[in-house]
Amino acid sequence: MSISPMNKMQWLIRRELWEHKGMLLWTPALIGIVMTVLGALMTIGTITKAKMRTALTINGDEVSWNAIFNTRSFGSRRMEIIDAVANNYIVTAAPLFLALGFLVFFYCLSALHDDRRDRSVLFWKSLPISDAQTVLSKVAIALLVAPLIVAAAASLTSLALVLILGGVLAANGIYVFAELLASPGLYLGPLGVFGLLPVYFLWALPTVGWLLMVSSWARSKVFLWAVGVPLLLLVLTVWAGKLTQTESDLGWIQMNVIGRALLGTIPGGWYLFEPALLQQLHASKNINVFGNSWSSLSLPAAWLGAAAGAALIYAAIRLRRWREEG
């Protein structure tokens, strides 16, 4: 009985999840749990220690939590603060997004090297599975599955933190749940995170391609090859720029070629590679990270990097076959 390519891909992805469940599943879950516990303790401790006296200082005057949320004079500010919390609470999950960059980076480094090191590659090559399917399943884990898992963990963690804040305030006689649950931002925040996954896919593709190619090629010291070569090129370009007084001309290469080989797996990395995006974000009256991030796909650098990443993935497929056959 023949197995369709789609079913093969599903089983390969399941295999990756099973073999790397500690990294891909339990690490985001553990980080989310620790963040939730620490956030709860910090919220309870801060409000209890202040005894509901001082929440913030305006023009030298101390303003209490009760004054902000309950008095008529702060009625408009109450809704302003609630909307700000609802629209930005997803930012509290920043440690999880940062962890995603490291998880994808080190997963790709070991993805094709480990099965050659323990010789399990011989078993997998005996199955009716092509090198392309194997490599593409690892690309899917790095650019689709892992970001989905982290995005889900980040959404649940940030939602738990904002609900804990509302619960602590309610225990002290300040009730904000009705307005909070009625705010559209509470629901649009997680949707915005999931909506940015295609942007992350394209900007992270060069780094994933580079790491998979090194993982497929290097016989040992994979980390040294993957990181050392770009850093050596960085040093050489800096030296050449100072020697020829063309630092500004080489700056684009340093950031968009060398930098993207190492930093593309960090969510929001497009702001590092294209500083103009960050300037546009700050210049906007209404900060819209979602729209601003999607506008990065109109830049040639995004698609040139994606094409380079696809070429590197193709090279990883060819190298995987050549390493064993040669």
Side-chain angles (χ1 to χ4, degrees):
M1 181 179 68
S2 62
I3 303 176
S4 68
M6 185 61 66
N7 286 335
K8 289 181 181 179
M9 185 62 65
Q10 290 177 358
W11 280 108
L12 286 170
I13 291 175
R14 289 183 182 181
R15 167 216 171 187
E16 293 298 318
L17 286 173
W18 178 75
E19 289 187 349
H20 300 90
K21 60 183 177 182
M23 174 187 290
L24 299 174
L25 293 175
W26 294 118
T27 298
L30 182 60
I31 294 174
I33 292 172
V34 171
M35 287 177 57
T36 302
V37 173
L38 290 179
L41 294 176
M42 291 173 61
T43 302
I44 295 171
T46 300
I47 295 179
T48 302
K49 184 178 180 180
K51 296 180 180 179
M52 306 309 294
R53 286 200 299 270
T54 302
L56 52 97
T57 302
I58 300 178
N59 297 326
D61 298 327
E62 293 184 348
V63 182
S64 68
W65 289 100
N66 281 315
I68 290 177
F69 287 101
N70 287 338
T71 62
R72 292 182 179 179
S73 60
F74 281 88
S76 60
R77 184 162 293 180
R78 169 191 173 96
M79 290 307 303
E80 180 182 342
I81 293 175
I82 290 175
D83 286 340
V85 171
N87 291 326
N88 300 290
Y89 75 98
I90 201 74
V91 177
T92 58
L96 271 167
F97 298 131
L98 183 61
L100 172 63
F102 288 97
L103 290 177
V104 173
F105 187 95
F106 287 102
Y107 167 77
C108 290
L109 267 186
S110 62
L112 296 171
H113 177 261
D114 285 355
D115 58 359
R116 287 191 294 113
R117 183 178 58 184
D118 61 19
R119 308 304 294 172
S120 63
V121 66
L122 299 177
F123 167 75
W124 293 109
K125 281 182 170 288
S126 67
L127 300 177
I129 300 171
S130 67
D131 293 305
Q133 290 171 331
T134 300
V135 174
L136 290 178
S137 69
K138 297 175 187 296
V139 173
I141 289 290
L143 294 178
L144 295 176
V145 179
L148 279 172
I149 293 172
V150 172
S155 299
L156 292 174
T157 300
S158 54
L159 182 60
L161 290 173
V162 77
L163 292 178
I164 288 171
L165 174 62
V168 173
L169 291 174
N172 289 274
I174 302 173
Y175 303 99
V176 297
F177 274 120
E179 294 96 332
L180 191 60
L181 294 175
S183 177
L186 187 70
Y187 311 100
L188 293 177
L191 292 178
V193 171
F194 285 98
L196 286 177
L197 292 182
V199 181
Y200 177 78
F201 180 101
L202 287 173
W203 282 97
L205 195 57
T207 306
V208 169
W210 164 250
L211 296 175
L212 286 176
M213 189 192 74
V214 174
S215 181
S216 180
W217 169 78
R219 295 189 183 277
S220 62
K221 301 178 178 62
V222 184
F223 180 83
L224 184 62
W225 282 109
V227 177
V229 171
L231 290 181
L232 178 60
L233 291 176
L234 178 62
V235 171
L236 290 175
T237 56
V238 170
W239 172 77
K242 291 185 178 299
L243 189 65
T244 60
Q245 296 183 349
T246 57
E247 292 95 332
S248 58
D249 296 331
L250 294 175
W252 187 92
I253 296 176
Q254 293 168 359
M255 184 55 67
N256 286 277
V257 177
I258 302 172
R260 291 189 68 178
L262 298 176
L263 303 175
T265 58
I266 300 176
W270 42 93
Y271 288 114
L272 293 174
F273 310 128
E274 297 291 339
L277 289 171
L278 197 58
Q279 296 173 4
Q280 294 173 7
L281 187 65
H282 289 159
S284 175
K285 293 182 179 180
N286 297 320
I287 295 178
N288 183 2
V289 175
F290 181 83
N292 187 253
S293 296
W294 269 96
S295 70
S296 69
L297 300 187
S298 65
L299 300 173
W303 297 101
L304 289 173
L312 290 169
I313 291 171
Y314 176 75
I317 295 171
R318 300 294 298 178
L319 283 169
R320 186 175 189 270
R321 181 180 302 122
W322 172 78
R323 269 301 188 196
E324 296 308 315
E325 293 178 354

